[in-house]
Amino acid sequence: MTSTDSAQTPAKAPAKDPWDLPDVSGYVVGVLGGTGPQGKGLAYRLARAGQKVIIGSRAAERAQAAAAELGHGVEGADNAGTARRSDIVIVAVPWEGHGDTLKALREELAGKLVVDCVNPLGFDKKGAYPLKPEEGSAAEQAAALLPDSRVAAAFHHLSAVLLQDPRIEQIDTDVMVLGEERADVEIVQALAGRIPGMRGVFAGRLRNAHQVESLVANLISVNRRYKAHAGLRVTDV
């Protein structure tokens, strides 16, 4: 290679800082299942951090009552209205109604970033155990049912008790975020980081969601044995 060739070779761009995340403060976040413990807790924490939040329920009146209880500017609407008005939609419905809820909202969720945090679990005398949906995971089921949406997965391992407790200033935990597009994953990471003490960590593509969802069964066992509200921390990142 001549000196001229070397001079014409473009310099390689530096690697992107994985912690350089976008500003998500202007997004409207909808929470389907926002009247349940997990959804209500997430709505409260995000709204308390300054995010605009709408919680959804099958009955608008129920969502509005829950929103009034939460304060911090949270609004309530039926699920369809919540989906239409939101930029990012968190799915926090019970596993039993997951598929039917998403099928009914396919049109309203088109073009949206949908963040699935549902954990398919069963319970018997031995405790909690993971279920494996036909699609592989709840997140993959969401992606199959919502072909016109961008689906990510996150917020699986959070204690609803801690999320809803107003006396707790911060929640020290990492949030495993999975998705197909880096830009979408980074939006969800940044959203998690709005909550004091939380950090969003990329954990792979949606095909890896099953083991993340399943780990909740282990955390339930931890919590029962130690009377705790355990979360996760990823070391060395």
Side-chain angles (χ1 to χ4, degrees):
M1 179 182 291
T2 67
S3 58
T4 303
D5 292 333
S6 178
Q8 292 175 346
T9 302
K12 187 176 181 181
K16 186 180 184 298
D17 180 355
W19 298 112
D20 179 15
L21 301 173
D23 177 9
V24 297
S25 59
Y27 285 111
V28 177
V29 178
V31 183
L32 303 181
T35 58
Q38 193 81 355
K40 197 173 181 180
L42 275 170
Y44 171 68
R45 286 291 159 179
L46 289 169
R48 181 168 158 171
Q51 205 77 36
K52 175 58 186 174
V53 178
I54 306 170
I55 58 175
S57 176
R58 285 177 294 181
E61 297 80 6
R62 187 180 176 198
Q64 290 161 358
E69 181 184 335
L70 291 176
H72 296 281
V74 177
E75 295 183 33
D78 62 17
N79 283 331
T82 298
R84 278 193 298 267
R85 294 176 57 195
S86 302
D87 304 303
I88 303 170
V89 179
I90 297 173
V91 181
V93 300
W95 166 241
E96 293 75 16
H98 183 264
D100 289 341
T101 298
L102 296 184
K103 283 178 189 175
L105 297 173
R106 180 177 295 178
E107 182 178 338
E108 289 83 358
L109 291 172
K112 311 285 184 175
L113 174 53
V114 177
V115 185
D116 203 293
C117 70
V118 174
N119 303 304
L121 297 176
F123 295 86
D124 60 18
K125 292 180 180 179
K126 295 181 180 180
Y129 60 93
L131 305 174
K132 189 158 188 179
E134 181 180 348
E135 298 85 353
S137 64
E140 288 170 295
Q141 183 182 87
L145 293 173
L146 303 172
D148 299 319
S149 304
R150 295 132 53 211
V151 176
F155 302 115
H156 302 91
H157 305 139
L158 306 180
S159 163
V161 173
L162 297 184
L163 288 172
Q164 294 184 83
D165 190 339
R167 299 168 299 177
I168 295 174
E169 295 295 327
Q170 65 178 45
I171 299 178
D172 296 316
T173 191
D174 284 334
V175 173
M176 310 289 273
V177 184
L178 304 99
E180 299 302 317
E181 299 295 333
R182 180 165 184 164
D184 292 336
V185 168
E186 289 182 348
I187 288 171
V188 182
Q189 285 182 270
L191 190 65
R194 296 271 287 159
I195 301 173
M198 258 183 222
R199 181 179 67 158
V201 178
F202 172 63
R205 293 179 178 268
L206 290 185
R207 67 180 184 180
N208 291 321
H210 172 65
Q211 56 264 35
V212 173
E213 296 169 2
S214 299
L215 189 57
V216 174
N218 302 89
L219 290 177
I220 290 172
S221 297
V222 170
N223 290 336
R224 287 181 174 174
R225 173 64 61 89
Y226 299 102
K227 295 180 171 51
H229 302 293
L232 296 178
R233 276 293 190 201
V234 180
T235 62
D236 201 34
V237 293

